[in-house]
Amino acid sequence: MSAQNTELKLKQMLKQEKIQLWNPPFSDESSAAGPQHMEELAARYAPLLRLPVTEVGGALELIRQQAVKRGKERQRFRETSVATLELLLPQNNRKETKTKSYLETRLDVRVQELVDRIGEDYGLKYIKLILNGRTLCVDQPLDQQGVKNHSKVMVLKVTDAEWKLQLSEEEEKEKNQKESLQRTQKGFQILSERDGSEDSSPFLEIADQRGNPLTIPPQEKKALILAMGFHEKGRSLMKKKQFDLALCHLLQADQQFSRCGSALLSSVDNFAVLQLDVVWCYRALEALSCLEDGRSRLQRAEDCFLRCYGERRQRLLMIKGNTGREEVLFLRLHLLQSLLSYIEGNDAQARQQLSKVEALYARLCLDSEKMAQLMSLGFTEKEARLGLRACEGDLQEAAIHIGNQTQEREELKQRERKRRSRRMEAISSLTELGYSRRDAARALQHAGGDVDRAYGILLDSSGSAQATGSHSEGSVEKLLYLGFQRDVSEAALRLTGGDVQSATQLLLDQQGVLSPELLSESPSSEEPSTSSSTSTGDVSTEDSELVNEALEDIARHEEDYLDLNLEEESELIATMKSYLSPAHRV
């Protein structure tokens, strides 16, 4: 990292003086170095950087060689359309830590061809390619996904299969990795489609920072639940230090968040925390140097915190009464900003950010005796840590605060139980009139909980369904012609009231797959067929397993994401201080 810092500083100096090392007198016609002029340049820059002349000379020669190489590659690309890509390989697959890895390819080939070549050259069986934080699709050409000559591509291992294992075992591990993503998505998709109509079935509800339910359009709610689900799974993997697999889940969460409206994202801090977690994974994987979107992700996080918390945290203070717990997010934000500034060669900005970090770190480090006293009162380590930070280290205030928080959570649970009980009673009243629980629940949701209005909605929808019933087979045929299966086509039409266009969009959004819960839903209160009863039971069991897996990754404490013990941050602070020390040498 120090070498990169020095290199970027030299590049800035060369740019300011408009010096082109690939041209005479620094390079001759054969691309060899002009030794005298290179030595003079090194002697002039060394005092400015406070580094030995030989060290600066070596760095300048490396920059010159890279510039000459890039010039030849640009010319070759113009003449032959063969591009050169820089690969950032997993740390244990790099042949030399200071040597960059390159790959030459045409840009009109599919990504899968590139994956195969990288796997063969570097002994990597199962990998994903990441460009600017986005996973490249293996079945599409490089140029259609934004890959250009001299693009930097991150190589991410999907499994950690060891080379001694048999091929069948490696394939099993790859399958398990893929299933992890698929099962996470399926589990949270099932939860996102539940509306609380079944008293015994768990379902998810989006709430604000005070625990009040938010009214969100169905498609946006589904995307938000999937985004938060992938994020929770990613955070769970980060705690286990499985950063490569965690990054896969976090990038999936990022894709789902992109489907939510900007107004929604600006009102919650989840999106900002996700950006921090993605860049933290980049840091853990030592991939910051090639990821140009690291800076933009941190900027998005900072902008989102500003909108969500207020310029001086006044909105956060009004909602929660204090801002101490959220300070850990800003510590991590400024620490990552300091790291990126240093990598980019901007030592002054890196020191400025690091000074903010050290001030925050001093406030957030807790007295171990106070922690022990709170835990002796029966509070958990998490509660003690969050309580002391919320109360700026005041032991007595922290004890009172934790007690109040516990009481508020219990009151919130009681309100939720009462609200759900009232909802169940209303749904039961509508089902007694002959409607399915699912239809009753949806009508009640559209009616804002008003039973009479919900009944009117159900009457209107029944009339509409009868009017369009004669066209249902023709609508199904249209969806079958588009390549969808009959069962999902019928379910999609049922869910959209027979609207072919809406059903098509629903199936496209879900990639032609609907949850078993929706597929098995009866379109009316008619008696279900005997043949489907057994399979429905199996599906329910499978659904329960998927849901339970998904729920395992959801933190039981609503402020789990703020409970950082700062051990990793402490190590990085020490590293940054050593790099920015005046006495530091590469």
Side-chain angles (χ1 to χ4, degrees), residues 461-487:
S461 63
S462 297
S464 175
Q466 290 175 4
T468 59
S470 59
H471 304 291
S472 60
E473 185 57 33
S475 301
V476 171
E477 290 295 334
K478 290 179 182 179
L479 293 177
L480 292 176
Y481 178 75
L482 294 175
F484 300 114
Q485 299 295 320
R486 174 173 287 277
D487 55 349

Side-chain angles (χ1 to χ4, degrees), residues 49 83 161 236 353 470 507:
L49 296 175
S236 173
Q353 294 291 355
S470 59
L507 291 173

Side-chain angles (χ1 to χ4, degrees), residues 172 174-184 549:
E172 184 64 26
E174 179 195 22
K175 180 182 176 182
N176 291 340
Q177 294 271 1
K178 289 180 179 178
E179 283 185 355
S180 174
L181 284 172
Q182 291 170 353
R183 291 180 72 84
T184 299
E549 284 180 22

Side-chain angles (χ1 to χ4, degrees), residues 415-463:
R415 290 201 302 272
E416 288 175 349
R417 282 194 287 267
K418 289 179 180 179
R419 185 168 65 247
R420 188 165 186 180
S421 177
R422 289 195 299 269
R423 180 180 173 82
M424 290 301 108
E425 290 175 5
I427 290 173
S428 296
S429 298
L430 293 170
T431 55
E432 288 173 2
L433 299 174
Y435 298 103
S436 69
R437 295 188 70 83
R438 171 75 66 173
D439 291 340
R442 284 181 178 160
L444 200 63
Q445 183 176 4
H446 287 301
D450 189 309
V451 179
D452 293 332
R453 282 183 56 204
Y455 180 56
I457 291 172
L458 289 168
L459 284 174
D460 293 340
S461 63
S462 297

